[in-house]
Amino acid sequence: EVSTEDPETAFCTLANREDLNTEEGSIHHCLYQFTRNEKLTETNKLLCDVCTQRHYGPKKNIKSEKKYVYTNAKKQMLISLAPPVLTLHLKRFQQAGFNLRKVNRHIKFPEVIDLAPFCTAKCKNVAEGNTQVLYSLYGVVEHSGTMRSGHYTAYAKMRSMNHHLSDLVLRGQSPQALETEPVKGQWFHISDTHVQAVSASKVLSSQAYLLFYERLL
């Protein structure tokens, strides 16, 4: 889908990205890099229909000749619809010659994360005037081992019902009340049939592969 946006606001976000603490090795740094503003130049130029028609005339006259105009452009991937449940999948492999190698480094992630710096200024299902889009962590999947073999375990939070989440899922309503604290509950570590209660600090020190957040605001 191609839409025309005001150039002054097309790359604007709900919250200032420059205020972020984008420490390398954090989930904020990962999101910042994934949503960074990219310049498309040289061999990455964008095929521009408007420029082509301006230069060669209507499309019907140029199809047979295959003449197109490419132009420099900017590209940025931002969130246009804040989901009720946010799932973050970390890329834990890298190319090493002809082989894939697992990335074992720890990535810091918070109990409450604000997606506003990664959302468009006109993000849908965000109440007007809100400059925060908050999510609370409720699940983590961890992988131990190598690319060839290993074991998956999970951390899950037993908590009370999130009424804001129910409104979002069932009725599509945006949460209005301000909640900035993580949803209260007890964390558990699950490994096959073994389940053990653990602290939040234990969860935050895990080597996350998948992160699951539920929307607060």
Side-chain angles (χ1 to χ4, degrees):
E1 180 183 348
V2 178
S3 60
T4 302
E5 294 282 348
D6 182 349
E8 296 298 322
T9 60
F11 296 93
C12 292
T13 51
L14 277 176
N16 189 354
R17 293 166 62 84
E18 304 311 315
D19 293 338
L20 277 173
N21 178 14
T22 54
E23 176 188 357
E24 189 172 354
S26 69
I27 198 69
H28 285 102
H29 181 261
C30 295
L31 287 169
Y32 187 89
Q33 289 296 103
F34 186 75
T35 59
R36 72 186 186 279
N37 194 316
E38 301 177 61
K39 293 182 179 179
L40 304 180
T41 60
E42 299 179 355
T43 57
N44 289 323
K45 285 184 177 181
L46 184 72
L47 192 159
C48 177
D49 288 334
V50 175
C51 302
T52 299
Q53 290 184 44
R54 186 183 298 137
H55 193 273
Y56 292 108
K59 275 186 178 180
K60 61 182 180 181
N61 296 335
I62 66 169
K63 276 186 178 179
S64 59
E65 301 176 33
K66 294 184 179 180
K67 292 181 180 178
Y68 303 102
V69 174
Y70 293 82
T71 184
N72 293 333
K74 288 194 297 183
K75 168 192 168 187
Q76 187 174 27
M77 295 181 67
L78 294 171
I79 298 167
S80 63
L81 180 67
V85 173
L86 172 68
T87 304
L88 299 177
H89 182 182
L90 299 180
K91 179 182 174 182
R92 285 212 167 268
F93 65 89
Q94 64 183 10
Q95 193 78 31
F98 294 101
N99 300 314
L100 291 176
R101 178 184 299 165
K102 186 183 174 192
V103 177
N104 289 309
R105 70 178 300 182
H106 174 67
I107 299 297
K108 295 180 182 178
F109 55 93
E111 279 197 85
V112 173
I113 190 168
D114 184 5
L115 272 196
F118 316 107
C119 293
T120 65
K122 298 179 181 178
C123 189
K124 302 164 189 171
N125 73 350
V126 174
E128 187 176 353
N130 277 1
T131 56
Q132 289 183 307
V133 184
L134 301 179
Y135 288 82
S136 178
L137 184 71
Y138 74 89
V140 179
V141 172
E142 184 177 40
H143 178 267
S144 58
T146 66
M147 292 291 295
R148 294 181 178 275
S149 65
H151 181 57
Y152 288 97
T153 60
Y155 293 92
K157 179 186 278 189
M158 187 175 72
R159 62 214 185 280
S160 57
M161 183 176 179
N162 182 341
H163 295 288
H164 290 328
L165 188 63
S166 301
D167 290 339
L168 276 168
V169 173
L170 300 177
R171 291 179 284 277
Q173 296 176 355
S174 300
Q176 301 293 327
L178 178 63
E179 293 188 21
T180 59
E181 297 297 322
V183 176
K184 293 181 180 179
Q186 174 63 55
W187 281 100
F188 289 90
H189 182 232
I190 303 106
S191 177
D192 294 333
T193 58
H194 181 69
V195 180
Q196 179 183 16
V198 294
S199 65
S201 60
K202 172 71 174 175
V203 177
L204 297 178
S205 65
S206 65
Q207 188 178 285
Y209 176 59
L210 288 166
L211 296 168
F212 299 91
Y213 287 86
E214 58 186 324
R215 187 157 170 203
L216 292 175
L217 175 65

